[in-house]
Amino acid sequence: MNLFEKTKTVPISKEQVWSAWKKVKSNGGSHGIDEITIDEIESSPAKYLYPVWNRLASGSYFPSAVREKEIPKDDGKIRKLGIPTVKDRVAQLVIREELEAILEPKFSKNSFAYRPNKSAHDALEQCKRNCQRFKWAIDLDIKGFFDTIDWGLMIRALRHFTQTEYHIFYVKRWLKVFMIKENGEQEERTKGTPQGGVISPLLANLFLHVTFDSWFEKRFPELTYERYADDIVVHCHSEKQANYVLDMIRKRMTACKLELHPEKTKIVYCKRNYKKKLSYRPKHKSFDFLGFTFKPFQVKTVTGKFTTGFRLGISAKSRAKIWKKIREMKLHRFVTKSISELGSIQHLNKQIQGWINYYGKFRKSDLAYVFRVLNNRLVKWARNKYKRFRKSYRRARQWLRQIADSYPYLFVHWEYGWKP
C-alpha cells in the first residue's frame, strides 16, 4: 500500500487509514452487520481498506447500519450497544483522531473519561481529596444520556470548535445510522449516539463539555467536580448550597434536552469528625462512583481514640459482579483438571489480576471478602475431585490452605495473602 499517494478532495491520507486500522485491529472486537471480521480484513487489507480511504477522501463515505447488542444492567434493565462494522470503526477512528487534536486541549481538567493520560483512578483520587475539602457532594445521574443526546445541539457544539465541513457531515452520518435489532428489524433513530461506536465517547465528552463542564466552571468557579463520561460528582460547602446548585444543574440539563434521574441523583453528606455536628440525620451519607463506594468509617488514632473519616472502597455492586462472574465459571465442575490448570480456565488469573489492579488501588484490604467466595469455590472443586474430602469441608479447606502455602503463585490472589 502506497501510504503517500496524493489524496482527493478531502485531505485524508492512506497513511491515516492504515494507522487507524492497526489500532482497530489491536483493540479487537466483533463484526458488524456485514459479518466481515478483523481476521478477514487482515488477510486482504487492500481489498477492504482501499475503498474506505477512497470514499473518505472523496466525501462519499456512508456508514453501514449498526448491529444491536443488548447488555444486562445492574438494575435489571437493558443497555443497547450499537456495534459498527470493522470498516466503519476504522473510518470513525480517522475522524476521531483529527477531532481529538482540536478538542483535547479545550476539555476541562475535571473530565477524565476516554482521554490520554487520564484514568478512572485519577477521577477517584480527585474525588477522594475533594470529599475532604467539601462537606457535601451531589451525585448526578443523567437519565439515558447516550440515547437522548440531541443531534442539533451536538452539531452546534461541534461547529463551535471546527469549521471543517467533512468533520461535520461525517459526524452527522454516524449519528443518523440505522440500528439493526437482534430480531433483524431496522430501527430509525432520531437522537443519541450509539454506544459501541469508536467516535461516540469523544462526541459524548464534547456534548457534556459544552452543556455541563464549561457552564459549571463559569457559573460556580468556587466549586469543583469530577466527571467520567456521564458520571458526575459535584462538591459543595453546605446543604443549602448543594440544593441551589442541584436546582441550577437540573434547569441547565432541561435546557440542553437532558434529564437528571429523579431517584438516582442525590445530595450526600460527607460525614467526618467535624467539630460542629449536624443537628439532624441527613438522608444520604454515601454514594457510588466508578465502582467504589464513598462512605464514613471509624479509624483509630495514635492516641487510641476513634475518629470518623470519609473513605472509598469497592462497592457492593462491584463485589456482586465479581461474585457472579466467579459463579458463572463453575470451577467446581472441572474435576478432570489439576489445581495448577484451574488458573487458566476462562483466563481466571488474568481476571483476578485485573480486579486487584482496579479495585485494589484504594483499600486493598476490602478485597479479602471478595476473594473468600473464590476460595470457597476452590474448596468445592477439591471436594468434588477427591473422594476423601466429600464429607468434610474442613479437611478440604485445610488441604487447599497447605497447597496455597506451598504454591502461592497458582492463583494471583494467593500471592497477595488472600488464602483459604
Side-chain angles (χ1 to χ4, degrees):
M1 181 179 288
N2 179 9
L3 301 180
F4 303 100
E5 184 174 328
K6 187 177 179 181
T7 60
K8 300 186 179 182
T9 55
V10 174
I12 292 175
S13 67
K14 287 184 176 180
E15 185 177 23
Q16 286 176 274
V17 173
W18 186 250
S19 175
W21 153 246
K22 289 191 290 185
K23 292 175 183 176
V24 168
K25 182 176 70 172
S26 67
N27 290 333
S30 60
H31 59 78
I33 61 166
D34 61 359
E35 299 187 351
I36 298 174
T37 65
I38 288 176
D39 290 340
E40 287 181 73
I41 294 179
E42 187 176 18
S43 67
S44 183
K47 174 183 175 181
Y48 295 104
L49 297 181
Y50 179 83
V52 173
W53 167 77
N54 190 33
R55 291 166 188 164
L56 276 176
S58 63
S60 61
Y61 189 91
F62 284 87
S64 303
V66 295
R67 177 173 61 86
E68 181 187 77
K69 184 176 182 181
E70 295 185 345
I71 305 294
K73 296 173 68 173
D74 296 335
D75 56 7
K77 297 182 179 179
I78 299 294
R79 174 182 287 113
K80 294 183 178 181
L81 300 184
I83 311 299
T85 65
V86 178
K87 292 185 291 183
D88 282 338
R89 297 208 290 272
V90 172
Q92 286 187 25
L93 188 54
V94 170
I95 302 301
R96 191 189 81 180
E97 290 185 336
E98 290 191 0
L99 287 175
E100 276 182 339
I102 300 168
L103 297 173
E104 179 58 32
K106 309 292 185 182
F107 286 161
S108 170
K109 62 181 176 58
N110 298 314
S111 169
F112 294 89
Y114 316 115
R115 299 184 62 192
N117 304 316
K118 285 182 177 285
S119 68
H121 283 160
D122 295 330
L124 289 160
E125 183 63 46
Q126 180 173 304
C127 189
K128 175 185 172 184
R129 293 196 304 268
N130 284 330
C131 284
Q132 301 301 318
R133 292 177 53 207
F134 296 85
K135 291 185 178 181
W136 295 85
I138 308 172
D139 180 16
L140 296 174
D141 187 281
I142 303 175
K143 191 174 181 180
F145 170 68
F146 282 88
D147 297 328
T148 57
I149 293 175
D150 181 80
W151 291 346
L153 292 177
M154 172 67 82
I155 298 304
R156 183 177 167 186
L158 187 61
R159 285 192 182 278
H160 180 75
F161 293 100
T162 178
Q163 297 300 315
T164 304
E165 198 56 39
Y166 69 88
H167 289 161
I168 307 296
F169 65 68
Y170 278 138
V171 168
K172 283 183 178 179
R173 291 174 191 178
W174 282 312
L175 287 175
K176 297 178 180 180
V177 292
F178 288 93
M179 177 89 76
I180 304 299
K181 295 184 176 183
E182 294 186 349
N183 61 9
E185 293 181 5
Q186 181 174 283
E187 179 182 63
E188 184 176 0
R189 299 169 49 257
T190 58
K191 58 184 177 179
T193 178
Q195 292 187 67
V198 172
I199 203 167
S200 292
L202 179 65
L203 297 180
N205 267 341
L206 167 63
F207 195 78
L208 281 174
H209 172 75
V210 174
T211 60
F212 181 80
D213 298 357
S214 297
W215 168 83
F216 184 89
E217 290 169 11
K218 290 177 182 177
R219 183 67 179 78
F220 302 103
E222 74 282 8
L223 302 181
T224 190
Y225 66 95
E226 296 81 38
R227 182 175 67 78
Y228 195 91
D230 58 332
D231 291 332
I232 309 172
V233 178
V234 175
H235 302 273
C236 299
H237 291 290
S238 68
E239 186 178 21
K240 182 179 179 181
Q241 184 182 51
N243 277 301
Y244 174 74
V245 171
L246 178 55
D247 188 50
M248 292 298 101
I249 292 173
R250 188 175 284 111
K251 290 178 180 178
R252 173 64 177 176
M253 291 295 165
T254 300
C256 297
K257 301 184 181 181
L258 296 174
E259 180 185 357
L260 294 181
H261 198 293
E263 296 174 2
K264 296 181 179 179
T265 297
K266 58 186 179 181
I267 294 175
V268 180
Y269 178 53
C270 302
K271 182 180 179 181
R272 297 192 300 279
N273 196 40
Y274 297 117
K275 291 182 179 179
K276 186 177 181 181
K277 305 294 184 181
L278 289 179
S279 59
Y280 60 95
R281 179 175 293 181
K283 185 176 180 181
H284 301 289
K285 291 189 290 185
S286 67
F287 64 90
D288 286 1
F289 184 50
L290 302 180
F292 289 80
T293 295
F294 287 75
K295 63 182 180 181
F297 70 108
Q298 293 290 311
V299 292
K300 194 173 185 179
T301 65
V302 291
T303 61
K305 295 182 178 180
F306 284 90
T307 185
T308 302
F310 200 77
R311 65 140 189 174
L312 71 159
I314 183 172
S315 69
K317 288 183 179 179
S318 297
R319 285 199 303 267
K321 280 184 180 178
I322 295 175
W323 290 339
K324 181 181 178 182
K325 183 65 178 177
I326 291 171
R327 292 187 181 101
E328 287 175 346
M329 289 181 181
K330 301 186 184 302
L331 296 174
H332 61 285
R333 294 186 178 179
F334 290 87
V335 292
T336 60
K337 302 287 186 181
S338 67
I339 192 167
S340 61
E341 295 174 311
L342 292 181
S344 61
I345 292 174
Q346 297 184 44
H347 305 290
L348 174 59
N349 269 326
K350 288 184 179 179
Q351 293 196 59
I352 295 172
Q353 188 65 67
W355 293 329
I356 294 173
N357 290 346
Y358 186 73
Y359 295 109
K361 178 71 174 179
F362 306 96
R363 295 283 299 183
K364 187 179 288 184
S365 59
D366 287 357
L367 293 177
Y369 185 47
V370 173
F371 290 119
R372 189 181 304 169
V373 171
L374 177 55
N375 285 330
N376 288 341
R377 303 303 278 189
L378 294 174
V379 171
K380 190 173 182 179
W381 168 85
R383 295 180 70 188
N384 287 347
K385 184 174 178 67
Y386 301 108
K387 290 182 180 180
R388 65 183 185 274
F389 297 143
R390 287 179 186 171
K391 293 183 179 181
S392 177
Y393 175 90
R394 183 186 61 81
R395 289 180 60 202
R397 184 178 180 278
Q398 190 176 42
W399 173 82
L400 195 65
R401 179 59 186 258
Q402 292 172 350
I403 295 294
D405 289 339
S406 301
Y407 306 98
Y409 55 84
L410 286 180
F411 297 97
V412 174
H413 65 295
W414 287 0
E415 298 181 57
Y416 287 83
W418 297 306
K419 298 177 182 179

Coordinates of all heavy atoms in Angstrom, one line a residue, residues 108-110 126 130 133-138 212-213 215-226 233-246 248-249:
S108 N -12.0 20.2 30.0 CA -11.7 20.5 31.3 C -10.7 19.5 32.0 O -10.8 18.3 31.7 CB -13.0 20.6 32.1 OG -12.7 20.7 33.5
K109 N -10.0 20.0 33.0 CA -9.1 19.1 33.8 C -9.9 18.2 34.7 O -9.4 17.2 35.2 CB -8.1 19.9 34.6 CG -8.8 20.9 35.6 CD -7.7 21.7 36.4 CE -8.4 22.7 37.3 NZ -9.3 22.1 38.3
N110 N -11.2 18.5 34.9 CA -12.1 17.7 35.7 C -12.8 16.6 35.0 O -13.6 15.9 35.5 CB -13.1 18.6 36.4 CG -12.4 19.7 37.3 OD1 -11.6 19.3 38.1 ND2 -12.8 20.9 37.2
Q126 N -9.1 12.3 42.8 CA -9.5 13.7 43.0 C -10.8 13.8 43.8 O -10.9 14.7 44.6 CB -9.7 14.4 41.6 CG -10.2 15.8 41.7 CD -10.2 16.5 40.3 OE1 -9.2 16.6 39.7 NE2 -11.4 17.1 40.0
N130 N -11.4 15.9 47.2 CA -12.5 16.9 47.3 C -13.5 16.6 48.4 O -14.1 17.5 49.0 CB -13.2 17.1 46.0 CG -12.3 17.9 45.0 OD1 -11.5 18.7 45.4 ND2 -12.4 17.6 43.7
R133 N -12.2 18.2 51.4 CA -12.3 19.7 51.4 C -13.8 20.2 51.5 O -14.0 21.3 52.1 CB -11.8 20.2 50.0 CG -10.3 20.1 49.8 CD -9.9 20.6 48.4 NE -10.4 21.9 48.2 CZ -10.7 22.4 47.0 NH1 -10.6 21.7 45.9 NH2 -11.1 23.7 46.9
F134 N -14.7 19.4 51.0 CA -16.1 19.9 51.0 C -17.0 18.9 51.8 O -16.8 17.7 51.8 CB -16.7 19.9 49.6 CG -16.0 20.9 48.7 CD1 -14.8 20.6 48.0 CD2 -16.5 22.2 48.5 CE1 -14.2 21.5 47.2 CE2 -15.9 23.1 47.7 CZ -14.7 22.8 47.0
K135 N -18.0 19.5 52.5 CA -18.8 18.7 53.4 C -19.9 18.0 52.7 O -20.5 17.0 53.2 CB -19.4 19.5 54.5 CG -18.4 20.1 55.5 CD -19.1 20.8 56.6 CE -18.1 21.3 57.7 NZ -18.8 22.0 58.8
W136 N -20.3 18.5 51.5 CA -21.4 17.9 50.8 C -21.0 17.6 49.3 O -20.2 18.2 48.7 CB -22.6 18.9 50.8 CG -23.1 19.1 52.2 CD1 -22.7 20.0 53.1 CD2 -24.2 18.4 52.8 NE1 -23.4 19.9 54.3 CE2 -24.3 19.0 54.1 CE3 -25.1 17.4 52.4 CZ2 -25.3 18.5 55.0 CZ3 -26.0 17.0 53.3 CH2 -26.2 17.5 54.6
A137 N -21.7 16.5 48.8 CA -21.5 16.1 47.4 C -22.8 15.9 46.7 O -23.8 15.5 47.4 CB -20.6 14.9 47.3
I138 N -22.9 16.2 45.4 CA -24.1 15.9 44.6 C -23.7 14.8 43.7 O -22.8 14.9 42.8 CB -24.6 17.1 43.8 CG1 -24.7 18.3 44.7 CG2 -25.9 16.8 43.1 CD1 -25.0 19.6 44.0
F212 N -22.3 21.0 30.3 CA -22.0 21.0 31.7 C -20.7 21.6 32.1 O -20.7 22.6 32.9 CB -22.1 19.5 32.3 CG -21.9 19.5 33.8 CD1 -22.9 19.8 34.7 CD2 -20.6 19.2 34.3 CE1 -22.7 19.8 36.0 CE2 -20.4 19.2 35.7 CZ -21.5 19.5 36.5
D213 N -19.6 21.1 31.7 CA -18.3 21.5 32.2 C -18.0 23.0 32.1 O -17.8 23.6 33.1 CB -17.1 20.8 31.4 CG -17.2 19.2 31.6 OD1 -18.1 18.8 32.3 OD2 -16.4 18.6 31.0
W215 N -20.1 25.4 31.4 CA -21.2 26.1 32.0 C -20.9 26.1 33.5 O -21.0 27.2 34.2 CB -22.5 25.5 31.7 CG -23.6 26.0 32.6 CD1 -24.4 27.2 32.4 CD2 -24.1 25.4 33.8 NE1 -25.3 27.3 33.5 CE2 -25.2 26.3 34.3 CE3 -23.8 24.3 34.5 CZ2 -25.9 26.0 35.5 CZ3 -24.5 24.0 35.7 CH2 -25.5 24.8 36.1
F216 N -20.7 25.0 34.1 CA -20.5 24.9 35.6 C -19.3 25.7 36.1 O -19.4 26.4 37.1 CB -20.3 23.4 36.0 CG -20.3 23.2 37.5 CD1 -21.4 23.0 38.2 CD2 -19.0 23.2 38.2 CE1 -21.3 22.9 39.6 CE2 -18.9 23.1 39.5 CZ -20.1 22.9 40.3
E217 N -18.2 25.6 35.3 CA -17.0 26.3 35.8 C -17.1 27.8 35.7 O -16.5 28.6 36.5 CB -15.8 25.8 34.9 CG -15.4 24.4 35.3 CD -14.4 23.8 34.3 OE1 -13.9 24.5 33.5 OE2 -14.2 22.5 34.4
K218 N -18.0 28.3 34.8 CA -18.2 29.8 34.7 C -19.3 30.2 35.8 O -19.2 31.2 36.4 CB -18.7 30.1 33.3 CG -17.7 30.0 32.2 CD -18.3 30.3 30.9 CE -17.2 30.2 29.8 NZ -17.8 30.4 28.4
R219 N -20.3 29.3 36.0 CA -21.4 29.6 36.9 C -21.0 29.5 38.4 O -21.4 30.3 39.2 CB -22.6 28.7 36.6 CG -23.8 29.0 37.4 CD -24.4 30.3 37.1 NE -25.6 30.6 37.8 CZ -25.6 31.0 39.1 NH1 -24.5 31.2 39.8 NH2 -26.8 31.2 39.7
F220 N -20.1 28.5 38.7 CA -19.7 28.2 40.1 C -18.2 28.1 40.1 O -17.7 27.0 40.4 CB -20.4 26.9 40.6 CG -21.9 27.0 40.5 CD1 -22.6 26.3 39.6 CD2 -22.6 27.7 41.5 CE1 -24.0 26.3 39.5 CE2 -24.0 27.8 41.4 CZ -24.7 27.1 40.5
P221 N -17.5 29.1 39.9 CA -16.0 29.0 39.9 C -15.4 28.6 41.3 O -14.2 28.1 41.3 CB -15.5 30.4 39.5 CG -16.7 31.3 39.9 CD -17.9 30.5 39.7
E222 N -16.1 28.8 42.3 CA -15.6 28.5 43.7 C -15.8 27.0 44.0 O -15.3 26.6 45.1 CB -16.3 29.4 44.7 CG -17.8 29.0 45.1 CD -18.8 29.4 44.0 OE1 -18.4 29.9 43.0 OE2 -20.0 29.3 44.3
L223 N -16.5 26.3 43.2 CA -16.8 24.8 43.5 C -16.0 24.0 42.5 O -15.4 24.5 41.6 CB -18.3 24.6 43.4 CG -19.2 25.3 44.3 CD1 -20.6 24.9 44.1 CD2 -18.7 25.2 45.8
T224 N -16.1 22.7 42.7 CA -15.4 21.8 41.8 C -16.2 20.5 41.6 O -17.2 20.3 42.2 CB -14.0 21.4 42.3 OG1 -13.2 20.7 41.3 CG2 -14.0 20.6 43.6
Y225 N -15.7 19.6 40.7 CA -16.4 18.4 40.4 C -15.5 17.4 39.7 O -14.4 17.7 39.4 CB -17.6 18.7 39.4 CG -17.2 19.2 38.1 CD1 -17.0 18.3 37.0 CD2 -16.8 20.5 37.9 CE1 -16.5 18.7 35.8 CE2 -16.4 20.9 36.6 CZ -16.2 20.0 35.6 OH -15.8 20.5 34.4
E226 N -16.0 16.2 39.5 CA -15.3 15.2 38.7 C -16.3 14.6 37.8 O -17.4 14.3 38.1 CB -14.7 14.0 39.6 CG -13.6 14.4 40.5 CD -14.2 14.9 41.8 OE1 -15.3 14.5 42.3 OE2 -13.6 15.9 42.4
V233 N -19.8 13.9 39.9 CA -19.9 14.2 41.3 C -19.5 15.7 41.5 O -18.4 16.1 41.1 CB -19.0 13.3 42.2 CG1 -19.1 13.7 43.7 CG2 -19.3 11.9 42.0
V234 N -20.4 16.5 42.1 CA -20.2 17.9 42.4 C -20.0 18.1 43.9 O -20.7 17.5 44.7 CB -21.4 18.7 41.8 CG1 -21.2 20.2 42.2 CG2 -21.5 18.6 40.3
H235 N -19.1 19.0 44.3 CA -18.8 19.2 45.7 C -19.2 20.6 46.1 O -19.0 21.6 45.4 CB -17.3 19.0 45.9 CG -16.8 17.6 45.5 ND1 -16.8 16.5 46.4 CD2 -16.3 17.2 44.3 CE1 -16.3 15.5 45.7 NE2 -16.0 15.9 44.5
C236 N -19.9 20.6 47.3 CA -20.4 21.9 47.8 C -20.0 22.0 49.3 O -19.7 21.1 50.0 CB -21.9 22.0 47.7 SG -22.5 21.9 46.0
H237 N -20.1 23.3 49.8 CA -19.7 23.5 51.2 C -20.9 23.3 52.2 O -20.6 23.0 53.3 CB -19.2 25.0 51.3 CG -17.9 25.2 50.7 ND1 -16.7 24.7 51.1 CD2 -17.6 26.0 49.5 CE1 -15.7 25.1 50.3 NE2 -16.3 25.9 49.3
S238 N -22.1 23.5 51.7 CA -23.2 23.3 52.6 C -24.4 22.7 51.9 O -24.4 22.6 50.7 CB -23.7 24.7 53.2 OG -24.2 25.5 52.1
E239 N -25.4 22.2 52.7 CA -26.5 21.5 52.1 C -27.4 22.6 51.3 O -27.9 22.3 50.3 CB -27.4 20.8 53.2 CG -28.5 20.0 52.6 CD -29.3 19.3 53.7 OE1 -29.2 19.7 54.8 OE2 -30.0 18.3 53.3
K240 N -27.5 23.8 51.9 CA -28.2 24.8 51.2 C -27.6 25.1 49.9 O -28.3 25.3 48.9 CB -28.2 26.1 52.1 CG -29.0 27.2 51.5 CD -29.0 28.4 52.5 CE -29.8 29.6 51.9 NZ -29.8 30.8 52.8
Q241 N -26.3 25.2 49.9 CA -25.6 25.5 48.6 C -25.8 24.3 47.6 O -26.1 24.5 46.4 CB -24.1 25.7 48.8 CG -23.3 26.1 47.6 CD -21.9 26.2 47.9 OE1 -21.2 25.3 48.4 NE2 -21.3 27.3 47.5
A242 N -25.8 23.1 48.1 CA -25.9 21.9 47.3 C -27.3 21.9 46.7 O -27.5 21.5 45.5 CB -25.7 20.6 48.1
N243 N -28.4 22.2 47.4 CA -29.7 22.3 46.9 C -29.9 23.3 45.8 O -30.5 23.0 44.8 CB -30.7 22.5 48.0 CG -31.1 21.3 48.8 OD1 -31.6 20.3 48.2 ND2 -30.8 21.3 50.1
Y244 N -29.2 24.4 46.0 CA -29.3 25.5 45.0 C -28.6 25.1 43.7 O -29.1 25.2 42.6 CB -28.7 26.8 45.5 CG -28.6 27.9 44.5 CD1 -29.7 28.6 44.1 CD2 -27.3 28.2 44.0 CE1 -29.6 29.6 43.1 CE2 -27.2 29.2 43.0 CZ -28.4 29.9 42.6 OH -28.3 30.9 41.6
V245 N -27.4 24.5 43.9 CA -26.6 24.1 42.7 C -27.3 23.0 42.0 O -27.3 23.0 40.7 CB -25.2 23.6 43.2 CG1 -24.4 23.0 42.0 CG2 -24.3 24.8 43.7
L246 N -27.9 22.1 42.7 CA -28.6 21.0 42.0 C -29.8 21.5 41.2 O -30.1 21.1 40.1 CB -29.1 20.0 43.0 CG -29.9 18.8 42.5 CD1 -29.2 18.0 41.4 CD2 -30.3 17.8 43.6
M248 N -30.0 24.5 39.8 CA -29.4 25.1 38.7 C -29.0 24.1 37.6 O -29.2 24.3 36.4 CB -28.2 26.0 39.1 CG -28.6 27.2 39.9 SD -29.7 28.4 39.0 CE -31.3 28.0 39.7
I249 N -28.4 23.0 38.1 CA -27.9 22.0 37.2 C -29.1 21.3 36.5 O -29.1 21.1 35.3 CB -27.1 20.9 37.9 CG1 -25.8 21.5 38.4 CG2 -26.9 19.7 37.0 CD1 -25.0 20.6 39.2

